[in-house]
Amino acid sequence: MVQKAKILLVDDRPENLLALEAILSALDQTLVRASSGEEALKALLTDDFAVILLDVQMPGMDGFETAAHIKRRERTRDIPIIFLTAINHGPHHTFRGYAAGAVDYISKPFDPWVLRAKVSVFVELYMKNCQLREQAALLRLQLEGGGGKAAAGEAKEPAGLLAELSARLAAVEEQAEALSKQLDDDSADAAAVATAAHLERKLTGLRRALDALEPGTGTSSSVSSPN
């Protein structure tokens, strides 16, 4: 079964968290609450998240400071952050949000459908990256001579494992291509488009590594997993 992605909701007002949960529940992912910047940073120590929805105005550590801490950590620096704010102080305030590392900056009240659509894009990108890491792990297993294990617990022949890897990778490639077309059609955020392009480059690298392992192509003794 495909594991659900986790979405971190950060707001000091319980009613706002409840509203976000109502909007995003249709995505059928795991929604995690945090009522402060400190609580959000604590959650990020142990869990991986597809995207963070972060309120700007919070007592104590505000959204900008919280985002700065998130971007300084190697483990969390690449997690997309969408800022939510009830007060629009103009272009300068919005620029500060992007400068803090946000991929989007949305003023309340916002269109629930638009917010859900934006979050769903980052969830899809996160899931594709997870699938890609799984393919890379299987490839490393093959290169290390592990041979892999069949679903019934029996060792697979190298050719069989390569065929399975290729089929799984083809499925991810097809989904990534569909997602890229969707981003083009929807005129999505530049950050989402850039992330999708990075994913496609990693898929291309993994496909080349798999092709190099095919019999008769001069299999290398070591192939690096895609970055």
Side-chain angles (χ1 to χ4, degrees), residues 125 175-186 193 196-197 200:
L125 290 172
Q175 294 169 348
E177 182 179 358
L179 179 59
S180 294
K181 289 180 179 178
Q182 177 186 337
L183 291 174
D184 291 339
D185 293 340
D186 295 343
V193 174
E200 287 189 340

Side-chain angles (χ1 to χ4, degrees), residues 81-218:
I81 298 174
I82 298 177
F83 271 137
L84 303 175
T85 178
I87 304 175
N88 188 352
H89 292 288
H92 177 73
H93 201 256
T94 302
F95 175 78
R96 185 182 175 193
Y98 287 117
V103 297
D104 210 338
Y105 192 98
I106 303 177
S107 297
K108 305 173 185 177
F110 45 77
D111 186 326
W113 187 91
V114 170
L115 179 64
R116 187 163 54 242
K118 288 175 179 291
V119 171
S120 69
V121 168
F122 289 107
V123 168
E124 287 188 64
L125 290 172
Y126 173 81
M127 299 300 284
K128 299 301 180 293
N129 271 304
C130 288
Q131 289 179 305
L132 183 57
R133 284 195 295 268
E134 290 176 2
Q135 310 312 315
L138 284 171
L139 179 58
R140 283 196 298 271
L141 180 64
Q142 169 64 22
L143 293 174
E144 292 166 1
K149 296 293 180 180
E154 297 179 355
K156 286 191 175 183
E157 292 296 327
L161 180 60
L162 283 176
E164 181 180 334
L165 280 169
S166 182
R168 291 187 182 186
L169 180 58
V172 178
E173 288 171 331
E174 183 177 352
Q175 294 169 348
E177 182 179 358
L179 179 59
S180 294
K181 289 180 179 178
Q182 177 186 337
L183 291 174
D184 291 339
D185 293 340
D186 295 343
S187 300
D189 301 321
V193 174
T195 304
H198 180 60
L199 174 62
E200 287 189 340
R201 288 195 296 271
K202 292 200 291 185
L203 284 169
T204 300
L206 187 54
R207 172 58 68 186
R208 288 174 179 169
L210 272 177
D211 290 345
L213 289 174
E214 291 293 335
T217 58

